[in-house]
């Protein structure tokens, strides 16, 4: 499924000035003709997780490994992703790797990719399409199970005690698979526990700045000294913003104060967890590049890859962490 790169290189120079590796081979370079061309549309660089995910992809899909990677940063706009996919189709790439911003709105452009004979591999998040054959595989995390791990921790930490468990929920990018799964787990658990009180659901958009903004505004509306038990943040960067807002508002984060829950468990979050400011970090593994390559290699060999592949993940509490463990973390 390797295609001639002369046309690809010429178009990449014009359309992908920031593309990883685009336009580096001279026209007619025979080595370039053996490369597998991968067009990749990434959500953006909104979080530490996303940066680590992009670095994992770029480390795998190198010319030394037999690939030409055309990497596009969508800057958190779906229209940019759709435009990038159509360019990849024009360039006749071998594979399209898509990290979809939201689940809906993909039917038409993925149909165009299929008509062009280009397999689409979803990474991290899912898409909601009428015809699931529009993509060949999904590689990422089970976000509902991540959320279930977090709510199980809340249930164990706050057994029925006759007083409310007051929870503030900071959601990720609305409509994304991670947001939908993690939100569903919390909402279902809140409905099942009479003592749980979901005080607010705030839109943090998976960014530290937005989480700080919405949490600060929320706290300003509360009576002085109002009790909050748990802040459920749907990624690490939201947790950082929430902690800053809480501490500026006079709250203590951690044991004896507000239990902050986060998802992703990047190195910085684990450091804050070890210090006790984050009570629970639920891992979401961003190092998906090798799994994506395994899928492409299966397709290259004419095999049918696994439809869904989930990365191995775990949870962390302050007592489980050491400086040595965190130092050995690759993200």
């Amino acid at each position: 499924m390797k295609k001639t790169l002369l046309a690809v290189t010429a178009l990449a120079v014009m359309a992908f000035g920031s593309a990883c590796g685009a336009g580096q081979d001279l026209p007619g370079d025979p080595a370039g003709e053996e490369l597998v061309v991968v067009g990749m549309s990434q959500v953006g660089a909104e979080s530490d997780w996303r940066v680590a995910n992009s670095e994992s992809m770029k480390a795998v899909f190198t010319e030394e490994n037999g690939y030409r990677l055309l990497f596009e940063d969508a800057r958190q706009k779906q229209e940019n992703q759709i435009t990038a996919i159509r360019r990849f189709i024009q360039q006749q790439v071998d594979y399209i790797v898509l990290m979809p911003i939201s689940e809906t709105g993909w039917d038409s452009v993925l149909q165009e990719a299929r008509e062009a004979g280009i397999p689409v591999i979803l990474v991290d998040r899912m898409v909601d399409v009428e015809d699931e054959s529009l993509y060949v595989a999904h590689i990422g995390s089970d976000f509902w199970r991540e959320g279930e791990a977090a709510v199980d921790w809340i249930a164990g930490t706050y057994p029925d005690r006759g007083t409310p468990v007051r929870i503030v929920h900071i959601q990720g990018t609305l409509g994304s698979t991670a947001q939908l799964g993690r939100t569903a787990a919390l909402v279902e658990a809140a409905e099942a526990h009479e003592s749980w009180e979901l005080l607010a659901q705030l839109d943090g958009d998976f960014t530290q700045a937005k989480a700080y903004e919405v949490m600060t505004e929320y706290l300003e509306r509360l009576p002085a000294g109002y009790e909050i038990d748990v802040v459920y943040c749907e990624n690490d960067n939201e947790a950082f913003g929430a902690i800053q807002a809480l501490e500026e508002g006079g709250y203590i984060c951690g044991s004896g104060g507000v239990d902050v829950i986060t998802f992703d468990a990047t190195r910085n979050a684990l450091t804050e967890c070890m210090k006790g400011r984050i009570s629970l970090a639920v891992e979401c593994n961003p190092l998906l590049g090798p799994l994506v390559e395994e899928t492409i290699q299966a397709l290259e060999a004419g095999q049918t890859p696994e439809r869904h592949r989930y990365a191995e993940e775990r949870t962390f509490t302050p007592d489980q962490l050491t400086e040595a463990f965190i130092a050995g973390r690759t993200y």
Side-chain angles (χ1 to χ4, degrees), residues 18-331:
S18 62
C20 179
Q24 305 243 337
D25 285 343
L26 295 174
D29 181 357
E33 295 184 6
E34 295 301 317
L35 299 178
V36 175
V37 187
V38 179
M40 185 173 296
S41 177
Q42 178 61 280
V43 169
E46 80 284 359
S47 65
D48 296 345
W49 189 98
R50 189 66 55 190
V51 172
N53 181 242
S54 294
E55 290 176 351
S56 174
M57 298 296 166
K58 292 176 181 179
V60 169
F61 294 103
T62 64
E63 293 191 7
E64 291 76 12
N65 290 339
Y67 301 96
R68 166 64 58 80
L69 178 63
L70 305 180
F71 183 92
E72 271 291 295
D73 180 337
R75 296 175 176 81
Q76 294 181 271
K77 294 183 179 179
Q78 186 177 23
E79 57 266 32
N80 291 345
Q81 292 198 296
I82 291 172
T83 297
I85 291 171
R86 288 186 169 136
R87 287 174 179 167
F88 294 152
I89 293 170
Q90 291 173 354
Q91 293 173 304
Q92 300 180 5
V93 302
D94 293 302
Y95 300 94
I96 291 173
V97 175
L98 170 64
M99 295 77 161
I101 289 175
S102 62
E103 290 201 348
T104 59
W106 299 104
D107 294 79
S108 294
V109 72
L110 295 190
Q111 178 65 35
E112 293 171 28
R114 182 166 68 180
E115 290 173 356
I118 303 173
V120 175
I121 301 167
L122 304 179
V123 173
D124 177 29
R125 304 171 181 176
M126 280 289 293
V127 296
D128 182 5
V129 290
E130 290 187 10
D131 183 356
E132 292 190 352
S133 69
L134 292 177
Y135 62 92
V136 298
H138 164 247
I139 298 162
S141 299
D142 188 329
F143 298 112
W144 187 87
R145 288 192 180 277
E146 290 178 355
E148 187 178 44
V151 299
D152 285 348
W153 182 89
I154 298 173
T157 304
Y158 295 89
D160 291 335
R161 57 183 186 175
T163 56
V165 181
R166 300 181 176 91
I167 303 170
V168 175
H169 178 197
I170 303 182
Q171 297 175 290
T173 302
L174 299 179
S176 67
T177 310
Q179 178 270 314
L180 293 170
R182 293 165 184 168
T183 291
L186 177 60
V187 170
E188 289 174 19
E191 291 174 350
H193 292 80
E194 293 184 0
S195 64
W196 291 19
E197 184 179 346
L198 201 53
L199 298 176
Q201 288 184 303
L202 310 175
D203 178 9
D205 201 26
F206 286 134
T207 70
Q208 183 168 341
K210 185 68 178 294
Y212 171 76
E213 175 188 339
V214 297
M215 191 69 196
T216 298
E217 291 175 353
Y218 177 73
L219 293 176
E220 288 174 349
R221 298 195 299 268
L222 290 179
Y226 191 86
E227 183 178 352
I228 298 173
D229 297 299
V230 176
V231 178
Y232 181 102
C233 305
E234 291 191 354
N235 81 340
D236 291 344
N237 291 81
E238 288 183 344
F240 302 149
I243 289 170
Q244 181 182 354
L246 286 163
E247 292 181 343
E248 289 178 1
Y251 291 85
I252 296 172
C253 294
S255 180
V258 179
D259 284 315
V260 176
I261 294 174
T262 186
F263 296 85
D264 289 353
T266 54
R267 188 185 297 112
N268 289 336
L270 292 185
T271 298
E272 293 303 313
C273 185
M274 184 177 66
K275 293 177 180 177
R277 296 169 81 199
I278 289 175
S279 298
L280 178 72
V282 181
E283 185 175 35
C284 181
N285 192 337
L287 306 182
L288 303 177
L291 296 182
V292 176
E293 185 185 28
E294 288 179 14
T295 297
I296 288 177
Q297 288 302 315
L299 291 166
E300 286 285 298
Q303 301 169 356
T304 301
E306 291 183 50
R307 185 68 175 164
H308 295 280
R309 294 192 66 181
Y310 295 126
E312 294 185 7
E313 297 169 342
R314 55 183 291 194
T315 61
F316 300 94
T317 53
D319 59 301
Q320 296 173 311
L321 295 167
T322 64
E323 290 183 2
F325 176 82
I326 296 172
R329 200 78 164 154
T330 56
Y331 58 92

Side-chain angles (χ1 to χ4, degrees), residues 3-13 37 68 70 91-93:
K3 296 185 174 68
T4 303
L5 287 178
L6 179 58
V8 174
T9 301
L11 284 170
V13 170
V37 187
R68 166 64 58 80
L70 305 180
Q91 293 173 304
Q92 300 180 5
V93 302

